[in-house]
Amino acid sequence: RNEPLLASGHQGRPSAAVLVKLSNPALVDDLVEFLSRSGCVVEAQDETTVLVSIPRSLRDDAAQLELDLYLRVWEATHPQARASRLAS
């Protein structure tokens, strides 16, 4: 793909992209759809990993907190799965 992996953030600065690992490969498409509806830019990397950025966040630490919140909400509706940010 020739699509950018990072989205434009505040004042043209790219927002940090974060890798998220999912415990259940059958739910990757569901997580991608959920995060996309929440305003995230999401791209599947492999069968259990997605790359996520939140273009509207003003700061990287705020984007991390926002992403953590989205992941916890998604997990609450998918108790059979875990989604975790990978260390950068």
Side-chain angles (χ1 to χ4, degrees), residues 16-64:
V18 177
L19 285 171
V20 175
K21 184 82 167 175
L22 188 59
S23 65
N24 186 339
L27 295 173
V28 167
D29 289 340
D30 189 83
L31 178 62
V32 168
E33 183 180 326
F34 172 80
L35 292 172
S36 295
R37 282 193 322 262
S38 298
C40 301
V41 176
V42 188
E43 183 176 327
Q45 300 295 291
D46 60 36
E47 67 181 20
T48 60
T49 309
V50 296
L51 186 67
V52 183
S53 62
I54 302 175
R56 68 183 170 278
S57 288
L58 299 179
R59 299 186 336 247
D60 288 344
D61 60 340
Q64 300 290 328

